[in-house]
Amino acid sequence: MGTFRTHLIGELRSAHAGETVCLCGWVHTTREHGDLLFVLVRDRSGVAQVRVQRSDTTEHATELWTTANRLGLEFCVRIVGQVSLRPQEAINTEMETGEVEILPSEITILNQSEPLPFPIHRESEVSETLALKY
């Protein structure tokens, strides 16, 4: 397995482009756009985007796509991949890591999460009774 983690997620910047990193964190969101699956992962330091492409021709592309499609919110994951600069039109200025994305060569599910009774990563109206229950 090698190094468990090389960087905190929120540390990644354009200066890391081309580096292979090992990251550990939680699945923040996932969204599929046809041939592409975008996974936001987070740890205590921040959030970064992982981009998985179905038509990728690398050795483990089918396995990566299958694993990425299994990811649910709050799954604990380990991502090994290369830091890549996002195209100029895809830079997210609202994220500190918005200039880069991770092109994974390995996605490992460390732990799964049951569906949550309410979202924990954003502000939402949750009754005090429900919040205290969980």
Side-chain angles (χ1 to χ4, degrees):
M1 184 192 278
T3 303
F4 197 73
R5 176 190 349 224
T6 60
H7 294 77
L8 293 173
I9 293 170
E11 296 175 338
L12 300 177
R13 299 291 186 272
S14 59
H16 295 102
E19 291 183 27
T20 297
V21 296
C22 299
L23 308 170
C24 294
W26 294 271
V27 174
H28 193 66
T29 62
T30 61
R31 61 189 196 285
E32 187 174 343
H33 291 283
D35 189 40
L36 296 173
L37 182 65
F38 297 98
V39 180
L40 291 183
V41 293
R42 75 171 192 287
D43 65 11
R44 62 187 164 90
S45 67
V47 178
Q49 178 172 280
V50 176
R51 178 173 52 98
V52 183
Q53 189 164 351
R54 182 193 322 246
S55 63
D56 191 355
T57 58
T58 59
E59 181 181 350
H60 302 289
T62 302
E63 179 183 336
L64 282 172
W65 182 261
T66 301
T67 301
N69 270 293
R70 289 185 45 224
L71 297 177
L73 297 179
E74 301 306 320
F75 276 35
C76 187
V77 294
R78 179 175 179 265
I79 308 289
V80 177
Q82 187 174 48
V83 179
S84 176
L85 292 175
R86 290 190 193 189
Q88 188 65 35
E89 65 277 5
I91 291 175
N92 184 342
T93 58
E94 295 183 21
M95 290 173 53
E96 289 187 25
T97 61
E99 292 183 343
V100 298
E101 60 190 359
I102 312 307
L103 307 178
S105 58
E106 180 183 325
I107 299 173
T108 305
I109 297 173
L110 301 174
N111 203 353
Q112 297 183 34
S113 174
E114 294 294 323
L116 302 175
F118 54 87
I120 63 170
H121 64 274
R122 59 182 134 92
E123 294 294 322
S124 62
E125 294 295 320
V126 177
S127 76
E128 185 176 358
T129 304
L130 183 62
L132 290 172
K133 180 179 178 181
Y134 292 95

